[in-house]
Structure formats: C-alpha cells, structure tokens
Amino acid sequence: MTAVSDKEFPPPVKYLDDRLGIAKIGRKNLRKVFPDHWSFMLGEIALYSFIILILTGIFLTFWFKPSMGEVEYQGSYSLLKGLHMSEAYASTLDITFDVRGGLLIRQIHHWAAVLFIAAMMVHLLRIFFTGAFRKPRELNWVIGFTMLFLGIIEGFIGYGLPDDLLSGTGLRITQGMIGASPVIGTYLNFFIFGGEFPGDDFVSRFFTIHVLLIPGLILALVTVHLFLVVYHKHTQYAGPGRTEKNVVGYPLFPVYTAKAGGFFFVVFGITALMGALLQINPVWLYGPYNPAEVTAGSQPDWYMGWLEGSVRIMPGFESHFWGITLSWNLIIPALLIPPAFVTLVALYPFIESWITGDKREHHLLDRPRNMPTRTGIGAAFITFYALLWIGGGNDLIATHFGLSLNNVTWFLRFAVFIGPVLAFWVTRRVAISLQRADNDRLMHGLETGVIVRSPEGKYTEKHAPISNYEAYSLTAHNRMLPLDIGPETDDNGVRAPRRALNKLRARLSRFYYADAIQKPTTHELEAAHEHAHDSDEIHDISETETYREVTSDRS
C-alpha cells in the first residue's frame, strides 16, 4: 500500500496522526482480512446485545432507586396504590408507567439480556462443534466461557433488582442453596444479604455489582477476546485456496465496517421490536416481594432453568455429622454438579488435546461429522443441559399436559443419566454414517439415476464426478490416528515414565477415534476412479490437480 501524504488527511486526523501515529496503525489493521460466513455473526450478535444492554442500562439508572427503604406507593398503577413496598420496586413501577418510554427501554434491556446469553451459548456451540477452540485458541475459549458465566450471573442479579415477588422467590431459592454450604453457608448469606434474608442491603449491593463490577469485567474480557481474534487471525471453513497459513475473505475496511454497522442496527431494531411487541417480566402483576408469599408457577429466566431443574429433580435426603447438617438435596445439585459441569466444559480444549496428542496449530475449521466423538460429546452435554432445564418447569409440564408431577420428576431423574448416553451414541453413529456417505461420493461420484446395460447383460448406474470445490472441502482435514505411546522400554531397557497414565491416554485416544472413517489416499482414489472408468460408471477425474492436491495425505 502506498504511503498517504499528510495533505490527504483532514486537520483533526492529521492532529491525531502526529501525536498517536494512527495512520500507521490504520494501514495495517484496516485492511486485515476476515472470512465471510453466516455463523461468524453469532459472536457479533452477542457483542451488539452487550452494547444495547449498556445503552439501555444507562437510561434505567437515571430513575431506578437501589434501596430497600419502605415507601407507600402512590404512582399511576392504581391496583397497587397505597401498598407498602421497597423504593426499588416503586421506582421500577415509576419507570414502567410514569417515565416516557420507560417500559419500552425496560423490555429492550431485558430482551437484550436474553439475546446476549443465548447468542453467547450458540456461539460457543459453533466454536465447539467446529473445533475452533484448538491451539492456539484455548485461552480464547476460556475467556469466552468466562464471559458466558459472568453474563448469566449478571442477568440473574439484574432479574432480582426490581424486588418483585417473582425475583424475590428466585433470590430465596439462591439463599437456600448458599445456606446449604457446609460450615460457611450462614456466614455467606449474612455477607451477601447484609443480615437475615432478605435483609436491608442486598438491592444496593446487587446494583453496584450489576452496573459496575460485572459489566467492567465483561468489557475487559471482550477487549482481550477481540484482540486475540485479531492476533491469531480468524478461523475459516475449508475450501479451495484456504489453508492453515492464510485467510480468504474481505478486508475490515470498508467491507466489514459497513457490514458490522448495518448488522448492529438490524440487531438493535429487532430487539426494539421485541421490546415493543412481546411482553417480558411484567413486574406489576407480581406485586412487591414478601417472604411469606410465593407466586404460582414461578419460573426463572431460561438460562437459570437448568440450575433450578437440578434442584427440583434431586431426591430429598440429608446427613448429620458432629452437629452439622449436610443437605445433599442441595449440595449435590447446586454446589457440586454446576461447578463440575462448568469446569469440564471450560477445560475441554486441554482435555481433548491431551487425549489426542494433537499439538498443532489449527486455523481451518472441522466439519462436525469428521470428529464424531467430539460431536457426540457435544450432543450429550446439550441433552444433559436440556433435561435439567425441563426439570426447572416440571410443575408446568405436569399441569399443562395433565401428568403426575411425581411421574415427571422420576422420569427426569433417570433421563439425566440415560439421555446423554443415548444422545452421544446416536449422534456419533450419525456422524460416522455421514462420513461414509462423503467417502462414497469421493470414491464413486454422484448417482445420476441413469441405468446402463453392458453387452454381457449387467446393469450398472452411471455416476457423475463431484466438483473440484466439493472434493477439496470433503478432504480438507487431517487423518485421525490414535495416539502411539511407543514401547514400554527404551533401547537401554529403561521403563518409560508414567507408563500407566500413558496407557490410559492411549485407550482414550483409541476410543476417541474409534470407527472414524479415514479420508481416502491419492492411490485409493485413483484406483477407485480407474475401476469406475473401466466399468463405465464414472468419468475419470483422478488426473485433476485438485484431487492430487487434496488427497496428498495431510496427515
């Protein structure tokens, strides 16, 4: 790129360039290439939802009063007029009914929170199933998952700020989970709520965390996350011209700048439309929180449903040791399962790398079918999460479908163990079947439906060659070979260290790659096409440069 003279800069830009050197930075980064695929927009939706949350949150802080002080409501909503409530709940009603546009902004804020967490979840699933978490992006996976975890906590705290009956019920459940912590449960509750539940300080404390602490942490992590995306370069799907050492796409400026700006307004517009037309969290229907009352059919926001479901389906039993009561019906589902689940997901890139022994850098994405075990594991996690999520609404399922609540609960108690195993096995077998189908297309081409009779009376179906582009995409992955741990002793007869651990690792590696269909080699393809040509089933395409290139064993 040719140098840009100072005369081409407007005076404000020249002023900044003289002091900050923005021209040099811009020349390098504004032309950075990013690949183009619809699934990459999932992360953008999460980012834009976070921006909407900040903008609408600033508006709401002008009128919200984070106080548990008791007042008598005299606002516009006549059904609650004269009722004693906290200033937090009263100010929420004022924002809803008396501030111009207040209800719209409240609902946009709530819908943006739901969309933010949903987009992050789907974005992480895309990264998981395509293997975008592999070296050198393991740290970015952990950062992204941490942002999701913080987003869930942020959403839950914001959901509790209005101090209505529904949010208070959710906080009461949380207080019970915290109180179940052995030895320190009571101290934690007093620290969080400022005394006996509900206390007098939790709204002001939650408000500070909600508007300052967690948003600041998320903003810092977003910055690091985007920096690493630029530093590592963006992943891309396999295709002609795309390798592990390049990126095929469009430059950041002007193409992606224009696309990103337009897409932001699309996300903002859809979120505003949802806020205007779809009612969410009508706090005026619930009334102020009263510890002696519980709303019928209480349900948390969807992203907290799995945690509540794990508590609901857990059988109730407890133990007593040395004067300490251990409530296993809360400790296991609320204090053990969620941290174990979160830790396993966060560390999965390192676990997979250890099992497979794959230490190479990866910039091309996997097709989920080409990694059947990983895809099956992902399906098992989703099934486990979904069943717990269904458990969070077991009462509504029972009442809406005329079922016994006990039967629904007992079914889920078994399903959370059996369902993930079935999901893993079925998904893995489907992925392997799709691999076989791809292999057949590579070896024999596409069925044309044209039946040919040979002079000997034999009937065969003519096959047509697949395109070079498709052939490249189907073979742009590494051969999947189990880990070889080598001999038990070296040349001097010394036993290899950590032999038992390495044997376990080898067994896991064989399981990970078991039954996977390896892509054909160049010789296998040429032999298959030569046979097909001789039998007049397919045009000979083994001599094309693309086939020779893509099957030259990227192992």
Side-chain angles (χ1 to χ4, degrees):
M1 183 181 291
T2 58
V4 181
S5 67
D6 291 344
K7 293 181 181 179
E8 296 182 21
F9 289 132
V13 178
K14 183 179 182 303
Y15 178 87
L16 293 175
D17 182 44
D18 291 340
R19 289 154 180 81
L20 302 176
I22 61 173
K24 182 178 180 182
I25 300 173
R27 289 189 189 104
K28 178 181 179 181
N29 293 289
L30 291 180
R31 301 299 297 173
K32 189 170 184 65
V33 174
F34 287 89
D36 195 29
H37 193 271
W38 67 266
S39 65
F40 299 150
M41 294 191 297
L42 295 169
E44 294 183 45
I45 294 174
L47 176 62
Y48 300 152
S49 300
F50 181 62
I51 295 173
I52 296 170
L53 282 170
I54 292 176
L55 296 176
T56 54
I58 291 173
F59 177 91
L60 295 175
T61 56
F62 291 151
W63 286 276
F64 182 73
K65 297 179 181 178
S67 170
M68 291 287 290
E70 186 175 310
V71 296
E72 183 179 332
Y73 179 68
Q74 295 297 333
S76 301
Y77 190 62
S78 60
L79 294 180
L80 295 178
K81 188 169 289 188
L83 196 65
H84 288 267
M85 59 185 65
S86 67
E87 286 189 279
Y89 185 61
S91 65
T92 303
L93 294 176
D94 291 338
I95 293 172
T96 302
F97 297 108
D98 299 318
V99 175
R100 188 180 298 274
L103 177 59
L104 176 62
I105 298 299
R106 267 196 65 239
Q107 298 208 146
I108 292 176
H109 189 74
H110 204 134
W111 277 119
V114 171
L115 187 61
F116 176 54
I117 298 173
M120 282 197 293
M121 281 191 175
V122 180
H123 179 57
L124 283 170
L125 287 175
R126 195 274 300 173
I127 290 173
F128 178 86
F129 284 113
T130 60
F133 56 80
R134 294 171 296 173
K135 184 182 178 182
R137 297 175 180 84
E138 303 97 332
L139 180 59
N140 229 4
W141 167 269
V142 176
I143 290 174
F145 193 76
T146 303
M147 284 193 289
L148 174 60
F149 183 71
L150 290 175
I152 292 175
I153 296 176
E154 174 79 342
F156 177 73
I157 291 177
Y159 158 87
L161 286 178
D163 196 35
D164 60 281
L165 185 56
L166 182 61
S167 66
T169 301
L171 287 174
R172 182 61 169 175
I173 296 172
T174 304
Q175 183 265 340
M177 295 178 183
I178 296 171
S181 303
V183 182
I184 63 172
T186 302
Y187 299 99
L188 284 176
N189 271 327
F190 271 70
F191 173 75
I192 294 172
F193 295 101
E196 289 285 353
F197 181 84
D200 298 323
D201 300 323
F202 86 84
V203 169
S204 59
R205 295 183 179 190
F206 281 20
F207 181 77
T208 303
I209 296 173
H210 182 72
V211 304
L212 289 178
L213 179 60
I214 296 182
L217 291 174
I218 293 177
L219 188 60
L221 291 174
V222 166
T223 304
V224 176
H225 181 74
L226 294 178
F227 171 79
L228 290 176
V229 168
V230 174
Y231 177 75
H232 290 144
K233 76 183 181 181
H234 206 291
T235 55
Q236 59 185 343
Y237 289 93
R242 301 173 185 175
T243 68
E244 298 282 8
K245 299 181 187 242
N246 70 359
V247 178
V248 178
Y250 299 98
L252 176 63
F253 184 85
V255 178
Y256 266 99
T257 304
K259 282 188 174 184
F263 191 49
F264 170 75
F265 288 108
V266 169
V267 174
F268 205 151
I270 292 176
T271 308
L273 194 65
M274 294 169 65
L277 301 180
L278 306 176
Q279 179 174 278
I280 188 171
N281 198 24
V283 295
W284 58 91
L285 297 180
Y286 308 138
Y289 178 60
N290 184 340
E293 300 173 355
V294 177
T295 53
S298 297
Q299 301 292 309
D301 276 341
W302 67 272
Y303 47 83
M304 296 299 298
W306 72 285
L307 181 57
E308 179 160 338
S310 66
V311 174
R312 288 193 184 195
I313 68 175
M314 184 70 186
F317 63 98
E318 59 186 31
S319 303
H320 304 275
F321 300 100
W322 304 291
I324 298 175
T325 299
L326 299 178
S327 300
W328 299 109
N329 56 321
L330 285 175
I331 292 176
I332 294 177
L335 303 180
L336 295 181
I337 292 180
F341 180 76
V342 168
T343 302
L344 184 60
V345 174
L347 297 181
Y348 181 83
F350 307 97
I351 297 173
E352 179 179 297
S353 176
W354 180 78
I355 291 174
T356 61
D358 187 0
K359 304 299 181 183
R360 297 165 295 186
E361 287 196 2
H362 295 276
H363 303 288
L364 287 178
L365 297 173
D366 288 328
R367 301 176 77 204
R369 67 183 63 181
N370 290 333
M371 301 299 291
T373 300
R374 180 203 296 154
T375 304
I377 291 172
F381 275 124
I382 293 173
T383 303
F384 179 73
Y385 177 92
L387 289 169
L388 291 182
W389 186 72
I390 292 172
N394 60 351
D395 54 340
L396 294 182
I397 292 174
T399 55
H400 280 68
F401 293 96
L403 303 173
S404 166
L405 177 60
N406 287 335
N407 290 341
V408 172
T409 302
W410 274 103
F411 169 80
L412 291 171
R413 286 173 179 172
F414 287 99
V416 292
F417 295 102
I418 301 173
V421 176
L422 289 177
F424 170 81
W425 184 80
V426 171
T427 304
R428 191 165 176 268
R429 298 313 305 176
V430 169
I432 292 173
S433 298
L434 292 173
Q435 280 187 308
R436 288 198 180 100
D438 289 344
N439 192 61
D440 288 342
R441 291 167 70 183
L442 277 169
M443 300 287 282
H444 308 295
L446 298 172
E447 297 177 355
T448 63
V450 178
I451 307 300
V452 178
R453 183 181 180 184
S454 67
E456 296 81 14
K458 179 182 178 183
Y459 290 94
T460 57
E461 181 179 11
K462 290 183 69 69
H463 286 66
I466 62 177
S467 67
N468 293 339
Y469 184 94
E470 185 178 6
Y472 193 104
S473 300
L474 292 179
T475 55
H477 59 274
N478 297 304
R479 298 178 68 81
M480 296 168 286
L481 303 176
L483 181 67
D484 183 10
I485 61 174
E488 292 204 20
T489 59
D490 60 17
D491 295 337
N492 298 320
V494 179
R495 182 178 175 83
R498 299 188 297 274
R499 190 65 186 176
L501 183 62
N502 287 333
K503 284 184 177 180
L504 172 63
R505 187 181 177 190
R507 283 195 293 269
L508 291 174
S509 178
R510 287 193 295 271
F511 169 78
Y512 193 87
Y513 289 128
D515 301 327
I517 307 300
Q518 303 289 359
K519 68 178 181 180
T521 64
T522 302
H523 301 297
E524 290 172 340
L525 269 175
E526 290 178 347
H529 295 158
E530 183 178 355
H531 172 73
H533 180 75
D534 293 340
S535 60
D536 198 28
E537 292 181 10
I538 187 170
H539 301 291
D540 185 9
I541 58 176
S542 62
E543 296 301 321
T544 62
E545 290 300 322
T546 301
Y547 269 86
R548 291 189 178 277
E549 176 188 354
V550 301
T551 59
S552 58
D553 276 3
R554 296 190 183 94
S555 55

